[in-house]
Amino acid sequence: REIEKLTTQYATDATVQATAGAWLMTNGDATGARPLLERAIALDPQYAEAMGWLSDAYRLMGTFGHYPPAEVMPKAKAMAERALTIDPNLPEALSCLAAVEEIYERNFARSDVLYSRALELDPRHSRSRAQRALWRIVRGAMAPEVALSEGERSVKDDPLNAWVGAMYSFILGIAGKHKDSMAEAERSLALDPDSFFAHWNVMRAHAWSGQYERAVQEAPALFNASGRQQWALGLLAWTYGQLGRLE
């Protein structure tokens, strides 16, 4: 609400719009950030940092199913590349482009180069480090102990970032460390009670640790907050399957 008030008051200030959008993106709110970042770029067509954030907003909307990946992932890639033509050393754009190359284009070699460059420029770019570890452990390209170490470092570098904490919780869950995964998910949700990804990880951690009924109890609040988002629906369906509730 305060962000809405501020961005309305300074509707013609590109820096205010971009800063507000970047803050929302830091916490994973791509849908809220998108119009602010688009407005910032319309006001200042050379605003590379805003382009980097907007590219990641497009990517997240594809990753979480707000729009078909084929619709928004090319936009994410084009916007990141546009930002890099203005500022070739922009970690935000490099990190987003690395993710698009990995999860959409499946160009793993280019993704590795881009992530390495982003972290070379900013070793404390916590979202980039956690994101790289998460997707690599998902596809079996990073050993669990390395992914855990990278996730832990990300949280230490940025302990108040609920989005980073949620990614680390997911990594912990994939590695089978369910108690630690739950603790990190709950810590992240406490940091940002509106974070869908942190809340989803709380439900996931319950489900993956065998607490299926407890996971189901999380579903109504998660659905109310997310509009029955497909990751939440898929997790609930899986949980019902584990309980033998097939209808």
Side-chain angles (χ1 to χ4, degrees):
R1 189 172 299 172
E2 290 300 319
I3 285 182
E4 183 179 354
K5 186 188 302 182
L6 181 66
T7 54
T8 300
Q9 182 179 354
Y10 295 95
T12 60
D13 190 318
T15 301
V16 171
Q17 303 301 312
T19 302
W23 186 88
L24 290 172
M25 280 299 297
T26 299
N27 292 284
D29 184 0
T31 54
R34 176 183 176 178
L36 300 176
L37 295 165
E38 289 178 335
R39 191 181 309 153
I41 295 166
L43 291 166
D44 182 355
Q46 297 298 306
Y47 204 151
E49 190 174 2
M51 293 175 194
W53 284 109
L54 180 57
S55 68
D56 211 38
Y58 287 140
R59 179 188 68 84
L60 288 177
M61 287 189 289
T63 299
F64 285 97
H66 297 291
Y67 293 90
E71 179 180 333
V72 289
M73 289 299 191
K75 289 183 179 181
K77 183 174 182 177
M79 187 60 65
E81 289 176 336
R82 179 180 166 189
L84 291 170
T85 62
I86 299 170
D87 182 356
N89 297 322
L90 192 61
E92 198 61 49
L94 288 163
S95 177
C96 175
L97 192 54
V100 172
E101 292 291 352
E102 181 173 29
I103 66 177
Y104 183 70
E105 301 287 3
R106 312 295 284 177
N107 187 342
F108 302 135
R110 188 177 187 217
S111 175
D112 289 345
V113 170
L114 291 164
Y115 270 131
S116 294
R117 180 61 178 155
L119 290 168
E120 176 187 338
L121 289 165
D122 183 2
R124 293 175 62 87
H125 198 277
S126 58
R127 289 178 302 101
S128 182
R129 187 175 299 281
Q131 180 175 284
R132 180 180 66 169
L134 175 57
W135 287 112
R136 282 185 173 180
I137 194 175
V138 164
R139 64 181 177 89
M142 181 178 280
E145 60 271 18
V146 178
L148 288 167
S149 177
E150 289 288 275
E152 183 178 15
R153 176 175 172 179
S154 301
V155 169
K156 286 181 177 178
D157 283 343
D158 199 357
L160 300 182
N161 190 315
W163 185 257
V164 169
M167 284 193 282
Y168 182 39
S169 170
F170 203 174
I171 293 168
L172 285 161
I174 293 169
K177 296 182 177 295
H178 300 304
K179 183 177 179 180
D180 292 340
S181 177
M182 173 59 70
E184 187 60 35
E186 290 180 334
R187 187 189 73 86
S188 300
L189 187 58
L191 287 171
D192 181 5
D194 295 325
S195 170
F196 163 77
F197 194 38
H199 198 172
W200 180 86
N201 271 286
V202 170
M203 181 177 170
R204 176 205 52 75
H206 282 303
W208 285 14
S209 62
Q211 301 176 55
Y212 303 125
E213 294 289 358
R214 180 66 183 83
V216 169
Q217 291 174 16
E218 290 291 334
L222 187 58
F223 286 171
N224 287 338
S226 68
R228 296 175 66 81
Q229 199 269 352
Q230 60 182 277
W231 279 42
L233 285 168
L235 178 57
L236 181 61
W238 181 86
T239 305
Y240 277 153
Q242 300 305 303
L243 287 167
R245 295 163 62 178
L246 304 180
E247 296 183 2

